[in-house]
């Protein structure tokens, strides 16, 4: 446990998160064997439990950065930016032309709609702000987080791109806090966030994407050994 200058408490959650994942996966097989529920009913229950675990981890990660904001909020953003580099590269690869003077974008390719990338141009405009701070970066990241959940974003296949943008903004926040003298707290938040991302990329999380609850149990449990694959 770490007590922060703001009076809050940060728990070293990355070890706890790993332990939670291990316990969760062990329970999947055991509950299925003992349960009288149908395979579909059990699959639905497992999915709900996993979704709750994800929400808890996400809330904890956000709480760490909120706590960091209390002490590093005024820390200036670094001159180096993973976010700007990412968007510049994205625009280049997808044929998007960004006018830094007007903030407008156009597409050089018929299959790419400039409108789908207006939010990325907006972020570049936000980065022009004089005296950009940690809090400013955190506010931008919150906006991107909300956008990533919109149905049209997912429908246009941009969900992964928004998640990458969210990640680069987190990296910029970490750098601002570290350069501002709050490296220890930034490392704690970054460590948990990194483990959270690894958790989302784990085989378990990927199996949870199935649309068929009954199939979920087959994906998780071996035929002769009721433990996680």
């Amino acid at each position: 446990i770490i007590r922060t200058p703001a009076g809050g408490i940060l728990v070293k959650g990355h070890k706890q998160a790993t332990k939670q994942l291990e316990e969760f996966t062990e329970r999947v097989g055991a509950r299925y064997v003992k349960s009288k529920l149908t395979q579909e009913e059990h699959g639905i229950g497992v999915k709900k439990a996993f979704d709750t675990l994800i929400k808890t981890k996400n809330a904890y990660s956000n709480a760490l950065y909120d706590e960091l904001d209390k002490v590093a909020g005024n820390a200036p953003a670094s001159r180096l930016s993973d976010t700007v580099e990412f968007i510049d590269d994205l625009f280049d690869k997808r044929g998007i032309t960004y006018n830094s003077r007007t903030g407008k974008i156009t597409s050089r390719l018929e299959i790419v709609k400039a409108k789908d990338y207006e939010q990325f141009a907006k972020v570049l405009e936000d980065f022009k702000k004089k005296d950009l701070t940690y809090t400013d970066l955190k506010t931008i990241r919150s906006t991107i987080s909300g956008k990533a959940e919109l149905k049209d974003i997912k429908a246009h296949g941009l969900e992964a791109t928004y998640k990458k943008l969210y990640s680069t903004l987190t990296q910029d926040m970490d750098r601002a806090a570290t350069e501002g003298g709050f490296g220890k707290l930034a490392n704690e938040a970054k460590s948990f966030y990194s483990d959270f991302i690894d958790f989302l990329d784990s085989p378990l999380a990927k199996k949870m994407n199935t649309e068929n609850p009954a199939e979920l149990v087959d994906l998780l449990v071996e035929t002769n050994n009721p433990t996680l694959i």
Side-chain angles (χ1 to χ4, degrees):
I1 296 177
I2 297 176
R3 295 186 180 277
T4 74
I9 297 177
L10 301 183
V11 179
K12 291 186 176 180
H14 52 285
K15 292 182 179 180
Q16 181 181 359
T18 302
K19 183 179 179 181
Q20 285 179 340
L21 174 58
E22 292 174 350
E23 292 176 347
F24 177 80
T25 56
E26 289 173 359
R27 291 198 302 267
V28 170
R31 284 183 178 178
Y32 180 54
V33 172
K34 297 179 182 179
S35 175
K36 295 182 180 180
L37 298 175
T38 65
Q39 188 164 321
E40 180 177 9
E41 290 172 332
H42 187 73
I44 292 174
V46 169
K47 184 66 168 62
K48 287 182 178 180
F50 183 80
D51 289 344
T52 298
L53 187 59
I54 289 295
K55 289 179 180 178
T56 300
K57 290 179 180 297
N58 188 50
Y60 185 80
S61 180
N62 288 336
L64 287 174
Y65 281 105
D66 286 343
E67 186 67 29
L68 187 55
D69 189 35
K70 294 178 183 178
V71 293
N74 292 325
S78 174
R79 292 183 178 182
L80 298 176
S81 172
D82 290 283
T83 300
V84 172
E85 182 179 348
F86 167 66
I87 296 177
D88 285 344
D89 184 61
L90 176 70
F91 282 0
D92 182 58
K93 290 180 177 179
R94 302 197 180 179
I96 298 293
T97 299
Y98 166 69
N99 188 320
S100 60
R101 183 176 61 82
T102 65
K104 302 295 183 181
I105 58 174
T106 56
S107 174
R108 302 188 299 273
L109 304 174
E110 291 185 9
I111 61 173
V112 177
K113 297 181 180 178
K115 185 177 181 180
D116 291 340
Y117 296 88
E118 288 179 350
Q119 186 61 51
F120 294 85
K122 176 65 168 56
V123 171
L124 290 180
E125 290 298 297
D126 290 337
F127 267 74
K128 291 180 181 180
K129 178 184 176 182
K130 185 178 180 180
D131 300 326
L132 192 71
T133 66
Y134 174 95
T135 296
D136 293 326
L137 293 171
K138 185 171 176 291
T139 298
I140 297 171
R141 193 184 73 153
S142 296
T143 299
I144 294 303
S145 177
K147 294 287 185 181
E149 297 301 318
L150 296 179
K151 290 183 178 179
D152 61 333
I153 296 299
K154 296 180 179 180
H156 292 174
L158 292 172
E159 185 176 10
T161 308
Y162 269 81
K163 287 182 178 180
K164 175 61 177 178
L165 178 59
Y166 184 93
S167 180
T168 60
L169 284 164
T170 301
Q171 292 168 2
D172 284 347
M173 287 165 56
D174 292 335
R175 184 181 290 111
T178 299
E179 292 182 1
F182 303 96
K184 186 175 181 179
L185 297 182
N187 285 335
E188 284 298 319
K190 181 167 60 176
S191 179
F192 185 87
Y193 176 76
S194 178
D195 280 352
F196 180 47
I197 295 300
D198 288 343
F199 180 83
L200 293 178
D201 288 335
S202 68
L204 173 65
K206 291 179 180 178
K207 288 175 182 178
M208 288 291 171
N209 290 328
T210 179
E211 298 292 332
N212 185 349
E215 181 184 42
L216 180 58
V217 176
D218 288 334
L219 290 173
L220 294 177
V221 182
E222 292 180 335
T223 303
N224 298 318
N225 184 20
T227 56
L228 185 75
I229 298 174

